[in-house]
Amino acid sequence: MMTYKGYSANIEVDLEAEILFGRVLDINDVVTFKAQTIEEARQKFQNSIDDYLEFCQELGQEPDR
């Protein structure tokens, strides 16, 4: 599990596709990411959270927590 800015994500492995994929937990909105390495997954997770927070701000909407 990873955490960033108060958000957590679970990482799973898809052996067939040879990728890591994750989903942000405990929010109603769907925020996902995929990567090929653990470090890339960490960066993609953080980028996804930053993008999500920016998107909510643009909409004038409170981000789900």
Side-chain angles (χ1 to χ4, degrees):
M1 185 176 310
M2 294 185 202
T3 59
Y4 178 69
K5 293 188 177 180
Y7 293 91
S8 298
N10 232 1
I11 305 294
E12 296 185 32
V13 177
D14 183 334
L15 294 174
E16 235 175 78
E18 298 182 353
I19 61 168
L20 303 169
F21 63 95
R23 180 175 179 170
V24 177
L25 304 172
D26 302 323
I27 64 173
N28 291 325
D29 296 311
V30 177
V31 180
T32 62
F33 54 93
K34 64 182 178 178
Q36 299 215 339
T37 66
I38 292 171
E39 187 51 45
E40 183 183 13
R42 185 179 326 280
Q43 188 60 53
K44 296 274 184 142
F45 167 54
Q46 292 175 356
N47 291 348
S48 293
I49 294 299
D50 290 339
D51 291 345
Y52 171 67
L53 294 173
E54 183 178 320
F55 180 70
C56 288
Q57 184 177 16
E58 288 173 6
L59 292 177
Q61 168 182 323
E62 193 67 29
D64 202 0
R65 287 274 174 187

